[in-house]
Amino acid sequence: MSHLVTQLINLFAAVILMLAFAMLSQRRILSLIHLFTLQGAALVAATAVVGYVTHQPHLYVSAGLTLLLKVILIPMLLHRIVKRLDVRWDVEALINVPTTMLIGIVLVIFAFNLAEPISRLSASIAGGTLGIALACVLLSFMMMIIRSKAVPQVIGFLSMENGLFFAATSATYGMPMVVELGIALDVLVGILILGVFMFQIREQFDSLDIRNLEKLKES
């Protein structure tokens, strides 16, 4: 039974990593939101499985919060923002897709090598997925760097938070509930603020390209 559960968690971890790669190469913003929603759903499933095996009720609460925020509320807010801003496609990234994928593979290898000593010390049933969680964080951070529009950068930030949350769940069976509630509130407030920020950029520059902000610095 324990071996089966471990394989199931590894499966969800692999899905989360593949979705991070898919988001890295995606150009269509609506598809990017859908991929983020699927990644949130995989994170919910992985958290619920760990909670079931370890008999820790707070992980069910964590899974419920993730479902509410990452699968329902935040995607809905992002869809509304994209619809109101009339944005459908992202501009070209700073790096082309093949090069981006190669760099992503290098980051994954680096993440696994970095996490291996820590995984050996972890007594968690999912300690081996720590490398995947770290790889998701690095891939999401890279997506924030190579994109020039505000919406994909916001999604990259949220995906990076998914990786950090999965790392906490897989390595230490989650964070204290007060910390998780605080993070959930911070993420929700952050999305609302970033939504207002994106509307202000669009109003001032008629574009969501954040490179336009350099004009303010120059002036």
Side-chain angles (χ1 to χ4, degrees), residues 28-50:
R28 188 172 173 82
I29 293 180
L30 287 178
S31 298
L32 198 59
I33 297 174
H34 295 155
L35 291 171
F36 168 73
T37 305
L38 290 175
Q39 190 182 57
L43 182 61
V44 169
T47 304
V49 170
V50 174

Side-chain angles (χ1 to χ4, degrees), residues 36 64-75 184-185 187-188:
F36 168 73
L65 284 173
T66 303
L67 177 65
L68 179 64
L69 286 176
K70 302 292 183 66
V71 181
I72 300 174
L73 190 56
I74 290 178
L185 180 61
V187 169
L188 183 58

Side-chain angles (χ1 to χ4, degrees), residues 79-207:
H79 273 289
R80 292 189 65 180
I81 290 173
V82 168
K83 184 177 180 179
R84 289 192 61 183
L85 292 173
D86 194 24
V87 178
R88 294 294 183 270
W89 291 86
D90 188 15
V91 295
E92 282 295 319
L94 302 177
I95 307 174
N96 59 38
V97 174
T99 305
T100 299
M101 293 293 99
L102 288 175
I103 297 175
I105 293 172
V106 172
L107 289 177
V108 171
I109 295 173
F110 171 76
F112 272 86
N113 288 330
L114 185 63
E116 184 179 2
I118 305 175
S119 299
R120 292 176 182 173
L121 298 175
S122 176
S124 167
I125 59 171
T129 61
L130 187 59
I132 293 179
L134 181 57
C136 290
V137 171
L138 294 178
L139 291 174
S140 300
F141 186 64
M142 181 182 174
M143 186 172 78
M144 293 176 63
I145 293 174
I146 66 173
R147 297 300 176 92
S148 60
K149 280 194 176 180
V151 177
Q153 289 198 346
V154 169
I155 297 175
F157 168 76
L158 293 170
S159 179
M160 185 167 60
E161 199 273 333
N162 279 349
L164 292 172
F165 185 85
F166 183 63
T169 302
S170 62
T172 63
Y173 298 146
M175 298 170 284
M177 183 51 58
V178 65
V179 177
E180 294 183 5
L181 290 174
I183 292 175
L185 180 61
D186 288 344
V187 169
L188 183 58
V189 172
I191 286 298
L192 295 176
I193 293 174
L194 288 169
V196 174
F197 177 65
M198 283 185 280
F199 279 108
Q200 289 296 322
I201 294 177
R202 182 61 177 267
E203 182 178 348
Q204 293 295 324
F205 301 107
D206 196 28
S207 170

